Amino acid sequence: RLWPVLLSGGAGTRLWPLSRKHYPKQLQALLSDRTMLQETVLRTRDLAGVAPPLVVCHQEQRFLVTEQLAAVGLAPQRIVLEPSGRNTAPALVVSALLLAGEDPQGLLLAQPADHHIADPEAFRAAVAQAARAARDGWLVTFGVRPTRPETGYGYIQAGAAIDGFEGVRAVLSFVEKPEAATAARLAGSPGCYWNSGVFLLPVGPFLDEVRRLQPDLLAACERAIAEGREDLEFFRLDAEAFESAPALPIDKAIMELSGRVAVVPVEMGWRDVGSWPVLHEALRTLRPTESDGNVFEGDVEAESVRNCHIRADGRLVAALGVEDLTIVVTDDAVLVARTDEAARVGALVERLGRRN
Ligand code: GDD
Ligand code: MG
């Protein structure tokens, strides 16, 4: 069967002050009236052979996550609780280990909970293509055509088509978050794709690769489960063991190193809604009714305002004669930034420390 695994652990600091430590962006309704987490699970509901989802999140978010799944009529297979985030490799390895007990032949569909996919049909078709290769032991990534030399993504150089699996190509190299010059070169080269961050992994062969490439990480995750405990629909990982796992992203821990990685290139209107400029652009596309390139949310009065993203949460915000600004007003914080600089707000938030 095919098991959706939702990664819901990021803090989303680049969308501060909307996204907060205890109320991160993936648990908010940013692009529709459903939260990003809800949209992500619903996207997989019609896949052939799909099983109930697993969610991996911080233990403090367990009730929010449970409520949000229940609100769209979904009972999760499990909610795996992390005592603290150790990045995506440990989160996916514990998921694979738990699934191995349940369905060793199963496929794990890893999905970040904070992505927007405008064409879910194209996504589902790509997953169906990927499934055939995954059953044959390939770790499958989904590649998106680059539109700019973004340094925050992984880059995949695709090789030849894999015989017998339509739409699937072998991966020649995987480079996670390259430097600017490399990103510029890769973004312009044919057969090069952004890694979407969605993966289709055959549970058994994936764990074999983890055993070969990251034995310490595997051992820590096995111990976190052996010493962890079931608690209603939750699985609580053992804190001491889990925190001893190297905090690596799956991209660096496995994808850059493994020779069994394949890619399905797909045009699905994919966006990692990680920063203010991307959210602004996404909303402008989804709501062509708003004029002058503006996006307003809440009680906003504006005159002679162009290309601005203004959010007023619980207060009235008035703007006059400004352009290209992101203005976000919440209960306890205000952000004013030039939109073309607003992708850097994450670095600013680090300086806020506990005030975040
Ligand atoms: N449960 C859990 N625990 N989830 C986590 C953790 C963790 O410790 N860390 C991150 N996540 C979740 C995030 O919430 C997000 O949904 C997803 O895993 C990916 O993590 P990011 O931290 O957002 O990764 P990234 O955006 O820097 O890079 C990844 O995604 C890019 C595309 O958006 C990589 O896979 C890149 O190669 C890729 O291009
Ligand atoms: Mg991301």
PDB file of all heavy atoms in Angstrom, residues 2-14:
ATOM      1  N   LEU A   2       0.213   2.337  -0.183  1.00  0.00           N
ATOM      2  CA  LEU A   2       0.934   3.596  -0.277  1.00  0.00           C
ATOM      3  C   LEU A   2       0.601   4.457   0.960  1.00  0.00           C
ATOM      4  O   LEU A   2      -0.569   4.758   1.204  1.00  0.00           O
ATOM      5  CB  LEU A   2       0.491   4.281  -1.565  1.00  0.00           C
ATOM      6  CG  LEU A   2       1.312   5.450  -2.048  1.00  0.00           C
ATOM      7  CD1 LEU A   2       1.221   5.517  -3.561  1.00  0.00           C
ATOM      8  CD2 LEU A   2       0.797   6.736  -1.455  1.00  0.00           C
ATOM      9  N   TRP A   3       1.634   4.774   1.715  1.00  0.00           N
ATOM     10  CA  TRP A   3       1.430   5.450   3.006  1.00  0.00           C
ATOM     11  C   TRP A   3       1.889   6.905   2.956  1.00  0.00           C
ATOM     12  O   TRP A   3       3.107   7.158   2.932  1.00  0.00           O
ATOM     13  CB  TRP A   3       2.226   4.719   4.091  1.00  0.00           C
ATOM     14  CG  TRP A   3       1.837   3.282   4.240  1.00  0.00           C
ATOM     15  CD1 TRP A   3       2.304   2.222   3.512  1.00  0.00           C
ATOM     16  CD2 TRP A   3       0.897   2.742   5.171  1.00  0.00           C
ATOM     17  NE1 TRP A   3       1.713   1.060   3.928  1.00  0.00           N
ATOM     18  CE2 TRP A   3       0.840   1.347   4.951  1.00  0.00           C
ATOM     19  CE3 TRP A   3       0.089   3.302   6.168  1.00  0.00           C
ATOM     20  CZ2 TRP A   3       0.010   0.504   5.684  1.00  0.00           C
ATOM     21  CZ3 TRP A   3      -0.722   2.458   6.905  1.00  0.00           C
ATOM     22  CH2 TRP A   3      -0.762   1.086   6.666  1.00  0.00           C
ATOM     23  N   PRO A   4       0.966   7.849   2.971  1.00  0.00           N
ATOM     24  CA  PRO A   4       1.392   9.249   3.031  1.00  0.00           C
ATOM     25  C   PRO A   4       2.015   9.558   4.391  1.00  0.00           C
ATOM     26  O   PRO A   4       1.458   9.199   5.428  1.00  0.00           O
ATOM     27  CB  PRO A   4       0.083  10.039   2.872  1.00  0.00           C
ATOM     28  CG  PRO A   4      -0.910   9.063   2.338  1.00  0.00           C
ATOM     29  CD  PRO A   4      -0.496   7.723   2.850  1.00  0.00           C
ATOM     30  N   VAL A   5       3.190  10.169   4.357  1.00  0.00           N
ATOM     31  CA  VAL A   5       3.830  10.613   5.603  1.00  0.00           C
ATOM     32  C   VAL A   5       3.967  12.121   5.521  1.00  0.00           C
ATOM     33  O   VAL A   5       4.597  12.652   4.602  1.00  0.00           O
ATOM     34  CB  VAL A   5       5.213   9.952   5.785  1.00  0.00           C
ATOM     35  CG1 VAL A   5       5.980  10.601   6.928  1.00  0.00           C
ATOM     36  CG2 VAL A   5       5.048   8.455   6.037  1.00  0.00           C
ATOM     37  N   LEU A   6       3.328  12.806   6.444  1.00  0.00           N
ATOM     38  CA  LEU A   6       3.364  14.267   6.409  1.00  0.00           C
ATOM     39  C   LEU A   6       4.409  14.804   7.358  1.00  0.00           C
ATOM     40  O   LEU A   6       4.355  14.526   8.564  1.00  0.00           O
ATOM     41  CB  LEU A   6       1.984  14.825   6.784  1.00  0.00           C
ATOM     42  CG  LEU A   6       1.053  14.692   5.604  1.00  0.00           C
ATOM     43  CD1 LEU A   6       0.258  13.427   5.694  1.00  0.00           C
ATOM     44  CD2 LEU A   6       0.198  15.904   5.490  1.00  0.00           C
ATOM     45  N   LEU A   7       5.333  15.547   6.795  1.00  0.00           N
ATOM     46  CA  LEU A   7       6.369  16.167   7.612  1.00  0.00           C
ATOM     47  C   LEU A   7       5.871  17.536   8.035  1.00  0.00           C
ATOM     48  O   LEU A   7       5.674  18.427   7.217  1.00  0.00           O
ATOM     49  CB  LEU A   7       7.650  16.310   6.793  1.00  0.00           C
ATOM     50  CG  LEU A   7       8.262  14.982   6.362  1.00  0.00           C
ATOM     51  CD1 LEU A   7       9.354  15.205   5.336  1.00  0.00           C
ATOM     52  CD2 LEU A   7       8.801  14.242   7.574  1.00  0.00           C
ATOM     53  N   SER A   8       5.630  17.665   9.326  1.00  0.00           N
ATOM     54  CA  SER A   8       5.055  18.919   9.810  1.00  0.00           C
ATOM     55  C   SER A   8       5.872  19.445  10.969  1.00  0.00           C
ATOM     56  O   SER A   8       5.361  19.696  12.055  1.00  0.00           O
ATOM     57  CB  SER A   8       3.606  18.667  10.242  1.00  0.00           C
ATOM     58  OG  SER A   8       3.048  19.846  10.745  1.00  0.00           O
ATOM     59  N   GLY A   9       7.177  19.609  10.712  1.00  0.00           N
ATOM     60  CA  GLY A   9       8.027  19.954  11.835  1.00  0.00           C
ATOM     61  C   GLY A   9       8.684  21.310  11.759  1.00  0.00           C
ATOM     62  O   GLY A   9       9.252  21.795  12.723  1.00  0.00           O
ATOM     63  N   GLY A  10       8.616  21.944  10.595  1.00  0.00           N
ATOM     64  CA  GLY A  10       9.325  23.211  10.439  1.00  0.00           C
ATOM     65  C   GLY A  10       8.681  24.320  11.256  1.00  0.00           C
ATOM     66  O   GLY A  10       7.501  24.258  11.591  1.00  0.00           O
ATOM     67  N   ALA A  11       9.470  25.343  11.569  1.00  0.00           N
ATOM     68  CA  ALA A  11       8.944  26.463  12.343  1.00  0.00           C
ATOM     69  C   ALA A  11       8.451  27.577  11.421  1.00  0.00           C
ATOM     70  O   ALA A  11       7.679  28.445  11.826  1.00  0.00           O
ATOM     71  CB  ALA A  11      10.008  27.009  13.278  1.00  0.00           C
ATOM     72  N   GLY A  12       8.864  27.548  10.167  1.00  0.00           N
ATOM     73  CA  GLY A  12       8.381  28.542   9.203  1.00  0.00           C
ATOM     74  C   GLY A  12       8.763  29.965   9.558  1.00  0.00           C
ATOM     75  O   GLY A  12       7.980  30.897   9.358  1.00  0.00           O
ATOM     76  N   THR A  13       9.992  30.142  10.057  1.00  0.00           N
ATOM     77  CA  THR A  13      10.374  31.472  10.559  1.00  0.00           C
ATOM     78  C   THR A  13      10.389  32.550   9.480  1.00  0.00           C
ATOM     79  O   THR A  13      10.262  33.723   9.791  1.00  0.00           O
ATOM     80  CB  THR A  13      11.768  31.444  11.207  1.00  0.00           C
ATOM     81  OG1 THR A  13      12.644  30.755  10.324  1.00  0.00           O
ATOM     82  CG2 THR A  13      11.735  30.754  12.549  1.00  0.00           C
ATOM     83  N   ARG A  14      10.524  32.134   8.195  1.00  0.00           N
ATOM     84  CA  ARG A  14      10.568  33.166   7.156  1.00  0.00           C
ATOM     85  C   ARG A  14       9.202  33.794   6.913  1.00  0.00           C
ATOM     86  O   ARG A  14       9.088  34.760   6.177  1.00  0.00           O
ATOM     87  CB  ARG A  14      11.150  32.581   5.859  1.00  0.00           C
ATOM     88  CG  ARG A  14      12.663  32.348   5.963  1.00  0.00           C
ATOM     89  CD  ARG A  14      13.207  31.734   4.715  1.00  0.00           C
ATOM     90  NE  ARG A  14      12.527  30.475   4.420  1.00  0.00           N
ATOM     91  CZ  ARG A  14      12.447  29.938   3.221  1.00  0.00           C
ATOM     92  NH1 ARG A  14      13.001  30.533   2.191  1.00  0.00           N
ATOM     93  NH2 ARG A  14      11.820  28.789   3.040  1.00  0.00           N
TER      94      ARG A  14
END
